[in-house]
Amino acid sequence: MPEIKVTPLGAGQDVGRSCILVSIAGKNVMLDCGMHMGYNDDRRFPDFSYITQNGRLTDFLDCVIISHFHLDHCGALPYFSEMVGYDGPIYMTHPTKAICPILLEDYRKITVDKKGETNFFTSQMIKDCMKKVVAVHLHQTVQVDEELEIKAYYAGHVLGAAMFQIKVGCESVVYTGDYNMTPDRHLGAAWIDKCRPDLLITESTYATTIRDSKRCRERDFLKKVHETVERGGKVLIPVFALGRAQELCILLETFWERMNLKAPIYFSTGLTEKANHYYKLFITWTNQKIRKTFVQRNMFEFKHIKAFDRAFADNPGPMVVFATPGMLHAGQSLQIFRKWAGNEKNMVIMPGYCVQGTVGHKILSGQRKLEMEGRQILEVKMQVEYMSFSAHADAKGIMQLIRQAEPRNVLLVHGEAKKMEFLKQKIEQEFHVSCYMPANGETTTIFTNPSIPVDISLGLLKRETAIGLLPDVKKPKLMHGTLIMKDNSFRLVSPEQALKELGLAEHQLRFTCRVHIQDPRKEHETVLRVYNHLKGVLKDYSVQHLPDGSITVESILIQATAHSEDQGTKVLLVSWTYQDEELGSYLTSLLKKGLPQSTS
Amino acid sequence: MAAHLKKRVYEEFTKVVQQQHEDLSAKKLRLTKPSKSAALHVDLCKATSPADALQYLLQFARKPVEVESVEGVVRILLEHYYKENDASVRLKIASLLGLLSKTAGFSPDCIVDDAINTLQNEKSHQVLAQLLDTLLVIGTKLTENPSVRMRLVEVACKHLTDSSHGVRNKCLQLIGCLGPVEKGVAKEAESQAAKDVQKIIGDHFNDQDPRVRTAAIKAMLQLHERGLKLQQAIYGQACKLLADDYEQVRSAAVQLIWVLSQLYPESIVPIPSSNEEIRLVDDAFGKICHMVSDGSWVVRVQAAKLLGSMQQVSSHFLEQTLDKKLMSDLRRKRTAHERAKELYSSGEFSSGRKWGDDAPKEEIDTGAVNLIESGACGAFVHGLEDEMYEVRIAAVEALCMLAQSSPSFAEKCLDFLVDMFNDEIEEVRLQSIHTMRKISNNITLREDQLDTVLAVLEDSSRDIREALHELLCCTNVSTKEGIHLALVELLKNLTKYPTDRESIWKCLKFLGSRHPTLVLPLVPELLSTHPFFDTPEPDMDDPAYIAVLVLIFNAAKSCPTMPALFSDHTFRHYAYLRDSLSHLVPPLRLPGRKLVSSPVSPSITPHEDPSQQFLHQSLERVYNLQHLDPQGIQELLEFTIRDLQRLGELQSELAGMADFTATYLQCQLLLIKALQEKLWNVAAPLYLKQNALASAAAKQILEETYKMEFMYSGVESKQVVIIHHMRLQAKALQLIVTARTARGVEPLFGMCEKFLQEVDSFQRCFISELPRMQGSFVDKLLDLMPRLVTSKPSEVVKILQTTLRQSTFLHLPLPERLYRASANIIEPTGESDNPLRFTSGLVVALDVDATLEHVQDPQGTVKVQVLYPDGQAQLIHPKPADFRNPGPGRHRLITQVYLSHTAWTEPCQIEVRLLLAYNSNRSKATAKVPKSTWNESVEALPQPENGIEGTIPFSKPVKVYIMPKPARR
């Protein structure tokens, strides 16, 4: 039985280091190639030696697919392709291809320049790696080779995030990457058609959460910012350069526009400028509002948001500043924070999760006195707010996607084991499909029952359908034809054509049968009696009495001769071709029963 | 369409057409009819190839065909149809047949048989489908003929087994449109092939082609629309179709389910996978709710829209739609709404019922959490969060409709609506504000909600702000803090956008009069009075201060203790405002203050029942008129007119009536005056001066009658007939005057004829009203009609003159309510001394903002006129989108007018005014006359009245200072 094998090298019952191997109908595909935020040793990258101990990876993998530009989905890519060695195609969407190297370069800088690690990939490697990337469009079917094809669907989450359908013949797998079923200020919602894949590999970050409406959170956020600005306070929003930052920018920008506010908004420069540039370019990937209005004005060409300069932090009056990094552990955001922390009019809004040990985490947990380097004590008087703007699908969203795609099996990755357990149970209960949640390195095998397509010649199809009643969806239909299996393809053709193609002469196969009848009369009288009998019984068929004394029923021939020994016994010779087997055998059985006793 | 076709013919001068055209003009009457079909026949015979034939047919299709020759043409086409081998030509012929049978006035029953016959030997599926389409056209024209319909349905049923989806599609469409609807017919037909149309259509719900499935559902809906009661059995089938792969099928299925839920709301259906049963409407509601999270946005819009009209659904299900059980890490979480509510409602939390009332209240039982099957659960939460704004708008509309019928639901959906005020698309915001206004009598805003609502006041869009003001006008606020908050925010709004002044004052007026008790404790603070110290007197011209006063005075109206808190200057300000802004400041009974109370009492105090009194007065006078001498009549009319005009000024609610009657009396007065002229007794040409007066009077009466007819809304046919009668009299007067002055008889012939035609059309239009017009001008005229028609113009004039003099004055009945259309240009204000400078030859845009009251169909009638100092006038038609409709009977025009002129040396003023365009053809009386089509036969019919188009200025002109500068070289 054909099977699909799935082995997560990362993200199996875990978040981070997404990397999933799928082998489907003899093709091996690697989905995502991420790094793990939590580790600084070898564990940060997936264990590629699982694929092969020695030898190039290219021989073992048909292609690599990257779902979006987050580092936990693409962080290990240069290491994988340049240091381990892979030369095959890497597929990603255009925005991902554009933004991915910026992030990789940033990641490299932090690891090598700041932390001083060696034996890490270089800028050149990133460039080389990106050369292997093939960019795909949404809903474009890409033929990787003759059999393997992939297709991208919109996934929301971040700019350019995509879900991928991998298809070989009739078997298919859908990998969602990270996705979001509720639209936000700059991106739309994930969407997939009813593609009914054999397996759906979905993320399950929020497997046990049903979220509140986004509007409440947005409104809260805007209200807080607005109030602070009206009071004359300054608002600091530490962000990571990409993704949420753009959403918040759009949110504030439109709010400023709507409310006619004048307070300046700054965005600390750096890689953001480059990234914003890409956001401007990839308008088609954004949500309805931005797409519809970009003719008048590109929403990412911010009117109110300007580049930040270090000196601005000391300016009097209200302002809003977006600064990196997001956890307040270093860099510009921390500098600004130190300047503003002492004033209770000011506010800091943490829009995301903070790792333990960072300043962000400390202030969120309520610490009001921070010890900075040099034994300085910083008293935090400013207001601290937390505002979660996460862009993953919640439990309802995951269920909704499953309902849309109608898969035969579901496999959960990118989530915590305990939470997956709950969702798994729900999925099995509500959709009656089997659900899997393998751990890293564990292989799941799914048996499929693919239907095998056969080409049928149009003439034959028309002929065969014309015979019976109208085709009915519910009932299978019997057809006569010749199945030709040649060059890995199946064709159903009419027997004549098959013979012609194979260069064979047609042989006729006739069945002949003798039936003895007790009839003392003359031969031709017997024939006449048989003729009348058959004519009476087989009303729907053409029964003919030929002048040479034989009877034909359709193509079946019946001849009568007197028995050489016993004149009272007539021998009926019945002959039919194998196509008429049904009628022929019916006829013989009919004749064997004898003729009715009638005087005529 | 036809006119368009005609035009095309003239445009494309192919030889054939042009010759025919000349032909037509030369011997129009005799040649056209036979030539059409004959020419076609010749053409088709000439055609050597299918392409040629197709060309001829295409050319032929561009020309109209008269009713009489349709049948002949059809015969010829059919003849060729049978001869033709090429499918595309047959297809064209089939489509032509359909087009021809649509010809107005042609009854296609003579070609039914032929059309059905063509079906028999047809092999091409496309042609078959087209033929069926033709049959559908024929069938819809012959709806009264059941036997034809039956035959057509039978034919359609026969072709339902066709292998092409197009043919099956058309068959189903035909059955849907023509299938028997009445029970009796259905029984009768049982013997024939068409047994039960519902069953036949229902069988195709499972067709293999999605297009056919859609057509089947649509046909079913069509049957429903035609009045057939659908069977409940279809419900199960329809539910299955909701899971179809194709969006158009799902979309149609949603509609079908909705229809069924309206037909059988109370039937009981079982819930699958359990042995419970629920009402069908609830079940359908759940299913449609489910479709709100469908993959296709078309279906989502459809579903969201339909939800709004399912008002029979039980409240239990309804409230689920707003419930989305939140959880975080398997712990039940309260929504932000609930938390907000808890903050504000002391003690008792969660008055609303939760989804799954019977479920035990536990932390969260993993087994009990139902992630998807919960049907209605959270449908609106999803709909309002949808990616497409179309879905969100539909959801808001549905919320509005449901909330209007269920107060408890209104209370619940409030939070969600308030959230929508922050939507990214303005239309959605606007829609949700309007929705909120519509349900506002069912709800009271909590303070936190009010806070969110008020935050939107700073929106830069004027529409949003004004909608919000409207909303605040009819909102209930629960606390005095709420009122204070609203006032503060409104004042903030006022400083930010000073143009909102009027709207804000009006808003505060209602806010004050609705919440007198809440305003009371705020008064000292608002007026900043102090128990011991005198505070400085605020600036009387400050709009913000006026706003506060408007709030307080309106509250004081129903709160007699409030004036005690006022300080001296407040009373003075009251007196001032009562005079200057009387529409915003109500009359107050102020104790002890003679000086202040005096202006309240005088003549302005309304009559007891002024309308009645007034009506009687004017009507009695009108009756008396007949018995007075001419001099007396004139005087009385003058007095009455003056009184009415004054009354109209004083009593705004009576203004429409008063003006209307006054105008009518004015017309009468003019008529009488004109007839009193000496000119009638003297030889004609000598008295040019008087005759100028009489003709001017006639002209003015005409103008006034148009005003009466088109400027007032609420005019009924009873009034229209009087108005038209008056107009007829004016025309008679005109005729007489011309007869007196004009030399020669020539022009008179035409005028007489025209006049008689008008009398004729008057009679036709108002035949039902004639009995009530005893003794009137027209009544007498109609008596004399036979004589008039035969007599010479000079005699006609003579007769007219005597009838006009003898005729009585018609009594004008007044309708229930009558409003005069009025317009007020808010912007430009005309106060600016700074000329608008622009380079000559280029264009400058002038913003025009005006309010229109009681204008029907403003998009079609209201125009902007710009008058330049050189007398040049420019008429601008505003775009339909420039009109907003803030309330019943009110419209707002916000548009831009483009000005341009050659260079001037000095800045100068131009005038901008609004005009009401009218077209006498559009008048209410003639609207019933069927609109003529392109057919020549119809054109020959005399028009009831030659469309007189004109404009009535109905706003005060505003002067704008402009200065086109010469262009710099």
Side-chain angles (χ1 to χ4, degrees), chain A residues 154 182-192 194 196 207-220 222-223 226-227 230 250 254-255 257-261 286-292 299 394-396 399-400 403-404 406 418-419 422-423 425-426 429-431 470-474, chain B residues 160-163 206-208 243-245 250 290 293-296 324-330 333-337 339 366-374 377-378 381-382 384-390 392 415 418-425 429 451-452 455-456 458-461 492 496-497:
Chain A
Y154 192 74
T182 45
D184 63 30
R185 286 287 170 153
H186 72 310
L187 297 172
W191 179 86
I192 196 162
K194 239 179 225 194
R196 299 198 173 90
T208 55
T209 303
I210 300 178
R211 260 177 313 168
D212 198 356
S213 118
K214 199 147 191 136
R215 284 171 209 290
C216 294
R217 266 174 292 149
E218 282 176 5
R219 203 186 57 210
D220 272 2
L222 293 173
K223 204 170 146 193
H226 189 190
E227 276 171 1
E230 278 208 328
I250 289 270
T254 44
F255 188 73
E257 186 99 14
R258 258 182 69 195
M259 298 302 181
N260 241 334
L261 297 180
T286 54
N287 72 3
Q288 189 191 21
K289 158 94 176 168
I290 299 177
R291 267 183 288 141
K292 288 217 163 145
M299 291 265 276
D394 63 358
K396 269 209 146 164
M399 299 302 264
Q400 207 181 327
R403 184 158 78 99
Q404 273 183 19
E406 292 189 7
K418 211 184 93 209
K419 296 180 181 178
F422 164 78
L423 191 67
Q425 179 202 339
K426 285 287 143 200
Q429 185 183 323
E430 281 174 24
F431 295 105
L470 257 193
D472 191 347
V473 230
K474 298 282 154 53
Chain B
L160 269 178
T161 48
D162 197 281
S163 61
N206 294 326
D207 196 279
Q208 58 172 351
D244 201 277
D245 281 9
R250 292 199 300 267
H290 204 53
S293 48
D294 190 86
S296 149
K324 184 180 172 189
K325 231 182 193 177
L326 299 192
M327 58 177 192
S328 168
D329 288 351
L330 289 176
K333 214 172 72 176
R334 271 169 297 142
T335 64
H337 292 151
R339 271 176 278 141
T366 50
V369 185
N370 206 343
L371 284 181
I372 205 158
E373 288 279 303
S374 29
C377 225
V381 181
H382 285 295
L384 294 176
E385 268 192 346
D386 200 275
E387 169 180 22
M388 312 296 286
Y389 83 92
E390 291 91 340
R392 297 200 296 266
D415 279 318
V418 170
D419 276 352
M420 294 309 283
F421 285 15
N422 282 319
D423 195 273
E424 53 190 343
I425 303 237
R429 295 202 293 268
D451 197 27
T452 327
V456 186
E458 285 188 52
D459 203 296
S460 57
S461 151
K492 227 195 253 175
K496 206 160 176 182
Y497 307 100

Side-chain angles (χ1 to χ4, degrees), chain B residues 687-936:
Chain B
Y687 286 84
L688 285 169
K689 195 183 144 223
Q690 275 91 341
N691 116 42
L693 205 148
S695 69
K699 217 184 234 169
Q700 200 186 338
I701 295 173
L702 278 180
E703 262 173 38
E704 297 288 340
T705 55
Y706 283 122
K707 272 192 198 170
M708 285 173 79
E709 190 175 352
F710 296 104
M711 254 177 81
Y712 293 87
S713 63
V715 179
E716 293 159 14
S717 57
K718 262 186 280 178
Q719 286 84 43
V720 174
V721 68
I722 307 278
I723 295 167
H724 276 243
H725 182 248
M726 179 54 81
R727 195 176 300 159
L728 207 59
Q729 281 174 311
K731 280 178 181 160
L733 184 66
Q734 237 173 1
L735 181 62
I736 300 166
V737 173
T738 347
R740 284 246 143 197
T741 50
R743 275 154 246 258
V745 206
E746 289 292 308
L748 269 188
F749 271 117
M751 279 186 75
C752 271
E753 198 165 322
K754 212 172 145 209
F755 180 76
L756 290 179
Q757 262 180 23
E758 262 161 35
V759 175
D760 190 45
S761 70
F762 180 89
Q763 188 192 5
R764 270 190 289 114
C765 289
F766 302 106
I767 192 97
S768 57
E769 304 280 343
L770 281 178
R772 251 180 282 163
M773 305 178 73
Q774 293 293 333
S776 69
F777 172 67
V778 80
D779 188 46
K780 287 183 180 160
L781 212 58
L782 288 174
D783 287 343
L784 297 170
M785 204 59 179
R787 240 182 86 198
L788 281 174
V789 177
T790 49
S791 47
K792 274 186 240 160
S794 53
E795 275 174 58
V796 173
V797 170
K798 242 176 228 159
I799 297 168
L800 281 181
Q801 194 174 332
T802 40
T803 357
L804 206 54
R805 292 189 139 198
Q806 284 163 4
S807 62
T808 54
F809 177 28
L810 276 178
H811 156 206
L812 178 72
L814 282 176
E816 293 272 306
R817 34 189 73 228
L818 197 60
Y819 298 104
R820 186 193 157 104
S822 62
N824 185 20
I825 299 179
I826 303 171
E827 219 176 318
T829 47
E831 289 162 356
S832 171
D833 290 333
N834 290 334
L836 203 60
R837 289 172 196 280
F838 62 98
T839 310
S840 69
L842 296 185
V843 185
V844 69
L846 178 70
D847 287 309
V848 174
D849 179 355
T851 52
L852 315 171
E853 302 221 8
H854 307 299
V855 182
Q856 290 161 325
D857 180 31
Q859 281 93 335
T861 53
V862 175
K863 316 275 180 238
V864 183
Q865 190 186 35
V866 179
L867 274 173
Y868 292 95
D870 56 358
Q872 190 190 339
Q874 189 191 355
L875 201 64
I876 295 120
H877 304 248
K879 284 177 289 182
D882 290 339
F883 293 94
R884 325 261 154 103
N885 189 357
R890 284 186 298 140
H891 287 275
R892 177 138 191 196
L893 172 65
I894 300 175
T895 187
Q896 279 197 325
V897 170
Y898 298 115
L899 307 175
S900 186
H901 210 278
T902 46
W904 297 347
T905 49
E906 293 283 301
C908 205
Q909 281 174 328
I910 56 163
E911 276 188 15
V912 178
R913 69 168 87 187
L914 296 183
L915 301 179
L916 197 65
Y918 64 85
N919 179 349
S920 58
N921 267 348
R922 258 206 317 259
S923 94
K924 291 139 199 154
T926 53
K928 286 158 211 152
V929 178
K931 282 266 148 98
S932 59
T933 49
W934 51 277
N935 266 302
E936 282 162 54

Side-chain angles (χ1 to χ4, degrees), chain A residues 247-460:
Chain A
E247 185 190 350
L248 294 177
C249 280
I250 289 270
L251 194 61
L252 278 188
E253 167 85 11
T254 44
F255 188 73
W256 249 239
E257 186 99 14
R258 258 182 69 195
M259 298 302 181
N260 241 334
L261 297 180
K262 294 285 177 282
I265 308 175
Y266 297 112
F267 205 128
S268 74
T269 48
L271 66 168
T272 16
E273 249 172 320
K274 243 187 206 168
N276 264 348
H277 178 63
Y278 288 120
Y279 271 82
K280 266 180 234 167
L281 286 179
F282 293 109
I283 284 298
T284 44
W285 287 80
T286 54
N287 72 3
Q288 189 191 21
K289 158 94 176 168
I290 299 177
R291 267 183 288 141
K292 288 217 163 145
T293 53
F294 97 100
V295 184
Q296 285 95 40
R297 187 165 83 87
N298 194 325
M299 291 265 276
F300 289 104
E301 264 162 34
F302 300 123
K303 243 188 223 165
H304 301 273
I305 301 177
K306 291 159 219 131
F308 184 70
D309 188 280
R310 198 165 295 221
F312 292 166
D314 296 321
N315 284 1
M319 65 171 87
V320 180
V321 174
F322 289 95
T324 48
M327 296 187 197
L328 276 183
H329 51 277
Q332 203 151 36
S333 61
L334 187 63
Q335 284 175 9
I336 300 170
F337 175 74
R338 285 167 76 166
K339 270 187 189 149
W340 292 358
N343 193 340
E344 62 273 1
K345 272 204 286 187
N346 297 344
M347 178 188 282
V348 59
I349 298 180
M350 310 295 299
Y353 177 73
C354 288
V355 169
Q356 205 156 18
T358 57
V359 176
H361 187 263
K362 280 179 199 156
I363 57 170
L364 272 182
S365 50
Q367 220 169 307
R368 291 318 241 177
K369 285 198 175 149
L370 299 173
E371 199 182 307
M372 309 307 278
E373 60 247 44
R375 298 261 170 105
Q376 262 179 300
I377 299 289
L378 182 67
E379 198 170 351
V380 182
K381 285 186 186 153
M382 76 198 300
Q383 297 174 59
V384 179
E385 298 286 349
Y386 175 70
M387 208 43 60
S388 157
F389 279 89
S390 184
H392 290 273
D394 63 358
K396 269 209 146 164
I398 296 172
M399 299 302 264
Q400 207 181 327
L401 188 89
I402 297 175
R403 184 158 78 99
Q404 273 183 19
E406 292 189 7
R408 293 189 192 86
N409 297 282
V410 178
L411 190 140
L412 303 178
V413 293
H414 202 279
E416 291 162 35
K418 211 184 93 209
K419 296 180 181 178
M420 281 184 179
E421 201 70 62
F422 164 78
L423 191 67
K424 176 174 183 264
Q425 179 202 339
K426 285 287 143 200
I427 291 170
E428 286 177 343
Q429 185 183 323
E430 281 174 24
F431 295 105
H432 309 291
V433 298
S434 35
C435 182
Y436 307 88
M437 38 173 284
N440 283 339
E442 191 184 326
T443 303
T444 304
T445 310
I446 289 149
F447 295 102
T448 57
N449 197 2
S451 45
I452 297 165
V454 173
D455 294 337
I456 183 168
S457 74
L458 191 63
L460 182 67

Side-chain angles (χ1 to χ4, degrees), chain A residues 48 109 285 337 431 464 467 487 526:
Chain A
F48 296 116
K109 256 189 213 156
W285 287 80
F337 175 74
F431 295 105
E464 288 288 324
I467 294 170
D487 310 330
T526 317

Side-chain angles (χ1 to χ4, degrees), chain B residues 367-607:
Chain B
V369 185
N370 206 343
L371 284 181
I372 205 158
E373 288 279 303
S374 29
C377 225
F380 277 119
V381 181
H382 285 295
L384 294 176
E385 268 192 346
D386 200 275
E387 169 180 22
M388 312 296 286
Y389 83 92
E390 291 91 340
V391 182
R392 297 200 296 266
I393 286 195
V396 169
E397 275 166 6
L399 263 188
C400 171
M401 288 165 81
L402 289 171
Q404 274 174 324
S405 63
S406 155
S408 70
F409 183 72
E411 194 73 41
K412 284 205 124 195
C413 75
L414 209 57
D415 279 318
F416 294 91
L417 271 182
V418 170
D419 276 352
M420 294 309 283
F421 285 15
N422 282 319
D423 195 273
E424 53 190 343
I425 303 237
E426 187 175 320
E427 264 177 280
V428 183
R429 295 202 293 268
L430 204 55
Q431 181 69 40
S432 41
I433 294 173
H434 285 315
T435 299
M436 188 102 142
R437 193 192 72 220
K438 284 178 197 152
I439 62 172
S440 57
N441 42 357
N442 280 341
I443 51 166
T444 306
L445 283 180
R446 285 200 318 268
E447 210 172 306
D448 61 314
Q449 289 165 336
L450 188 70
D451 197 27
T452 327
V453 171
L454 292 172
V456 186
L457 274 177
E458 285 188 52
D459 203 296
S460 57
S461 151
R462 189 216 299 261
D463 286 330
I464 295 270
R465 291 198 310 269
E466 285 186 355
L468 210 63
H469 295 155
E470 293 269 335
L471 165 65
L472 286 176
C473 284
C474 45
T475 312
N476 300 318
V477 180
S478 48
T479 57
K480 80 172 204 292
E481 284 78 18
I483 293 284
H484 192 239
L485 199 66
L487 181 68
V488 168
E489 290 292 333
L490 280 170
L491 292 182
K492 227 195 253 175
N493 172 198
L494 188 64
T495 44
K496 206 160 176 182
Y497 307 100
T499 46
D500 288 356
R501 200 168 64 178
E502 284 286 332
S503 167
I504 288 173
W505 287 344
K506 205 183 100 210
C507 171
L508 284 168
K509 172 188 168 189
F510 284 99
L511 215 55
S513 54
R514 285 178 86 96
H515 308 97
T517 48
L518 297 181
V519 175
L520 184 62
L522 290 172
V523 169
E525 189 189 341
L526 293 180
L527 293 176
S528 50
T529 47
H530 195 277
F532 310 125
F533 304 116
D534 265 349
T535 43
E537 184 176 330
D539 178 14
M540 196 52 245
D541 289 330
D542 180 13
Y545 179 61
I546 295 178
V548 174
L549 286 184
V550 166
L551 175 77
I552 292 174
F553 291 147
N554 279 287
K557 194 182 171 193
S558 47
C559 183
T561 53
M562 204 180 286
L565 299 167
F566 295 172
S567 53
D568 289 350
H569 54 78
T570 317
F571 290 106
R572 268 185 282 122
H573 294 164
Y574 167 75
Y576 170 69
L577 286 180
R578 176 73 193 119
D579 249 14
S580 59
L581 297 170
S582 52
H583 60 292
L584 293 172
V585 181
L588 289 183
R589 258 176 230 297
L590 298 179
R593 292 255 156 194
K594 280 172 200 119
L595 190 135
V596 178
S597 54
S598 54
V600 186
S601 51
S603 60
I604 310 164
T605 39
H607 301 273

